Every structure is written in structure tokens, then in C-alpha cells.
Amino acid sequence: IVLLRQKKHDHQFTLWLSLYCDQQWMTLLEGRLQFGISRGKLQLQFDDHASFVGEEQLQGEITNAAGETLQIATEQTPQYACWHLTPQPWNSLLKGNWEKLKLGTIHTDVPLNRLVASLSVPVTGVHLTDAEGLWSHDISPNKHAILERKLVQFLWKHCFTPNLSYIELRTPEALTPQSSATSTHPPMPQCPDFRILQGMIDQLTQAKSEDFTELLRLAELDPKSDLAGGNLLGTTLNEINLSGANLTGVNLRGAELNDADLSEAILHRAKLSGADLSGAFLENADLSESNLHRASLALVNLAGVNLSGANLTEANLSKTSWTGTIVKGAKFGQNLGLSEELKQSLKERGAIFSE
């Protein structure tokens, strides 16, 4: 964050933002891990007597010189400003550099004492992308998925809370001995007990069971809330009960979900390409903007399912029920199991066919 005073107006300041997003390595125990983030919230706090006027153009899609795009959703009032940062739907992580983005202007009739800018990341926005020396690489996909979720929780709790980045700016007037302004920098997290983390890793890697529900129990993870944003690549989840679970942004590519109960689950922007959901229960689930390319939805009842904006190209849709399914903007093409009559019905409801 750069704060520039307008020369013609002693108490008017323009705010500029530069963002540098990429994956990072950090040392942990006897190994190291790499992580990235998929969303963040930038928030401004300033004196009560000040007011903020945001830059109208800093919302929607912002593209840098390298062609990388950042999506920004803005919330602001004269006394509050917040920007939600996410990548494009087809990108998993925030990546790229955006230089000197104009946030807006702060107006005040008296000297500005302080300005606080913080960037926070939810636990669902932290993603482990690689790990070395922490466990054997021949462990099962089920154990790997659970270990990743535990490490993400550890990383978020001890490194990313309360903020990933925090800066407190003060004008020269606020730095005088007479100033009553005090720093409000949030307390840093306490140093974790790494023995507990190592014990959890050992317990999971040495567990005799490969059952995903049992591994969740051992790791003390809540299947309804702790899997959102997780990497469940290639896991075996046949007949699992995830009804009503928050699985936003979860990576389930190539997963086995035969007869799984995903009714009323939130799978917004989930990655399900190549997954086998044959016979799964999906009633009233939210699969909007999900990727179901080459997935199998054979024998699935999609009653009340939200598939708006989803990618279903080359998906197996044999004997699939479409009663009340929302398909506006959903992409189809080269699908098994769709009659011409059903295709026409889906088109009339807003589906897009590439054939």
C-alpha cells in the first residue's frame, strides 16, 4: 500500500496497491511444504473523521501486463472499504503481479492519524501444492488428502491468522509525542507445539485403515466443513455420507464417488473431471461452475441440482434424471446418454451444446 498526499489538499490522500502473488516454500519439521492462496480480503480501517471514495474501475476483472487476470469484488461505504480477491474460475490459485492499482482517495478535514490495511485469507483459501520430507510418497490418496487438510489448518492457524499481511501507516502529525494514537497491530500467533503435528502425521501414515471416514475421525476433521478447498485427488469415497457438506472448490478429480451421498452439498467450482459419481445422491446439490469434464453421472438423479455454468463436456449422462435441474450456461458436448429430445429440452433451459 502506498499513501500519497495531494499537494493541493493537505488532508486528501490517494491510495495505491501493488499485489505480488505466487506459491511459496516454507520449512516444516524435517521437510518443507509449498503453498498458495486462492482468495483473499483486503480491508482498510481509518480515522472516524475521514471518508473514503473508492476507484470505480477497480472491480470485476483486472488484467496485468502479462495477461494474468484478477477478479475483484468491492464493498465500501465512506467509512469502510473492502476488496475480495479471487482468480479466474479456471485458475486454482492467485498468481501474478499487479502494480500500482488505484484504490481510491481518503478525504479528511483534520490530519489523518492512522490507516490500517490488512489482507486476510480464509482457511478454505489456503492450498498445499507440494510437500517434501514430511511423509512417504507412496501413501494412499486417501491418507494424502487428510494429511494435506491437517497441514493447511496448521499453516492457516499459525501463519495466516489473524492476517496474511498487515500494515499500519501514520502521517507525520500522528508521530508527535503528543499523539494519543496507539498501534492496534493484532497479536501474533503463539509458537506451535510441533510435537503434536508430528504425532498426527505419524498416526495417520501408520493407520491400518484406508477408510476416508475413519481417517477423518483420526485427524479430528469435520467432513461437513473441513474439506472445502481441499485436494482430494484420486480418493476412494464410495458410499461416503457428505450430505450438506461444504465442498466449495474441492479437487475431486478422478475420485471414486459411487453411491456417495452428496445431497444438498455445496460443490461450487469443484473440480470433478474424470470422477465416477455413478449412482451418487446429488439431490439439491450446488454444482454451479464445477468442472465435470469426462465425469460419470450415470444413474444419477439430478433433481433440484444447480449446474449453472458447469462444464459437462464428454460426461457420461446415461440414465440420468434431469427433473428441476438448473442448467443455464452449463456446457455439454459429446455426451453419452442424451437423446435428441433431452438435448432440446436442456437447450431450452439455457444449456450450451458444442456439437
Side-chain angles (χ1 to χ4, degrees):
I1 295 283
V2 176
L3 180 66
L4 297 178
R5 173 175 292 180
Q6 301 287 338
K7 293 183 179 180
K8 295 182 180 180
H9 307 279
D10 286 345
H11 305 316
Q12 182 172 315
F13 303 87
T14 301
L15 289 167
W16 301 85
L17 169 71
S18 291
L19 279 174
Y20 308 97
C21 304
D22 204 351
Q23 299 175 66
Q24 301 290 324
W25 282 98
M26 70 172 291
T27 301
L28 182 66
L29 299 173
E30 298 299 320
R32 62 176 189 159
L33 57 81
Q34 186 184 52
F35 64 90
I37 62 173
S38 63
R39 62 181 60 86
K41 182 174 76 171
L42 175 66
Q43 186 171 339
L44 293 183
Q45 301 175 38
F46 35 81
D47 298 338
D48 292 338
H49 57 73
S51 63
F52 179 78
V53 178
E55 174 62 31
E56 294 182 358
Q57 296 181 353
L58 193 63
Q59 57 184 335
E61 296 184 356
I62 307 296
T63 303
N64 63 14
E68 297 161 318
T69 301
L70 174 72
Q71 290 190 321
I72 300 179
T74 304
E75 296 179 39
Q76 61 185 43
T77 68
Q79 277 71 46
Y80 174 82
C82 173
W83 296 265
H84 298 274
L85 314 174
T86 56
Q88 290 283 65
W90 54 84
N91 290 332
S92 300
L93 301 173
L94 287 170
K95 186 175 182 180
N97 299 332
W98 288 267
E99 301 276 358
K100 203 175 181 182
L101 302 175
K102 185 178 179 181
L103 293 176
T105 305
I106 291 179
H107 301 266
T108 176
D109 294 329
V110 296
L112 182 67
N113 285 326
R114 56 186 288 273
L115 168 70
V116 173
S118 61
L119 178 63
S120 59
V121 179
V123 66
T124 55
V126 182
H127 302 270
L128 196 67
T129 57
D130 202 355
E132 297 177 355
L134 296 175
W135 55 72
S136 173
H137 284 283
D138 60 357
I139 62 172
S140 68
N142 281 20
K143 288 183 178 179
H144 192 274
I146 298 295
L147 284 166
E148 284 199 352
R149 294 317 298 157
K150 287 301 293 185
L151 282 182
V152 163
Q153 286 192 345
F154 174 88
L155 191 66
W156 179 78
K157 179 179 180 181
H158 297 290
C159 301
F160 288 178
T161 55
N163 300 297
L164 174 62
S165 180
Y166 179 97
I167 185 171
E168 185 170 336
L169 303 175
R170 292 169 178 264
T171 58
E173 294 87 345
L175 298 177
T176 61
Q178 291 77 21
S179 174
S180 60
T182 58
S183 174
T184 57
H185 195 293
M188 297 299 292
Q190 294 183 347
C191 183
D193 187 342
F194 290 101
R195 294 172 299 177
I196 296 177
L197 179 63
Q198 184 65 66
M200 178 61 69
I201 292 175
D202 293 341
Q203 182 183 26
L204 288 169
T205 55
Q206 297 169 15
K208 295 181 179 180
S209 176
E210 295 290 345
D211 180 73
F212 197 79
T213 301
E214 175 62 17
L215 294 173
L216 283 169
R217 187 191 66 79
L218 288 175
E220 299 180 348
L221 291 174
D222 184 349
K224 302 293 185 180
S225 60
D226 289 338
L227 297 178
N231 182 13
L232 277 60
L233 175 70
T235 49
T236 301
L237 306 175
N238 297 323
E239 299 183 359
I240 194 170
N241 181 7
L242 292 172
S243 175
N246 180 7
L247 302 172
T248 302
V250 70
N251 179 9
L252 283 161
R253 287 182 297 163
E256 296 181 18
L257 289 152
N258 293 277
D259 300 318
D261 187 352
L262 295 166
S263 57
E264 300 186 354
I266 303 173
L267 287 147
H268 175 65
R269 289 193 175 183
K271 301 171 183 64
L272 288 151
S273 56
D276 188 355
L277 293 101
S278 301
F281 300 91
L282 286 169
E283 289 85 346
N284 299 312
D286 180 4
L287 283 152
S288 57
E289 298 183 23
S290 61
N291 186 358
L292 288 152
H293 176 65
R294 292 188 176 179
S296 176
L297 291 166
L299 304 172
V300 172
N301 182 1
L302 295 174
V305 174
N306 183 359
L307 284 169
S308 58
N311 177 13
L312 291 104
T313 55
E314 300 184 53
N316 182 354
L317 305 175
S318 301
K319 298 183 179 180
T320 300
S321 174
W322 298 88
T323 304
T325 310
I326 301 172
V327 294
K328 184 177 181 180
K331 299 178 179 63
F332 294 80
Q334 302 181 31
N335 301 106
L336 293 175
L338 287 184
S339 65
E340 290 301 320
E341 181 181 1
L342 181 53
K343 286 182 183 179
Q344 185 59 37
S345 174
L346 293 173
K347 287 179 181 179
E348 292 173 357
R349 287 146 67 179
I352 301 170
F353 281 81
S354 59
E355 298 174 335

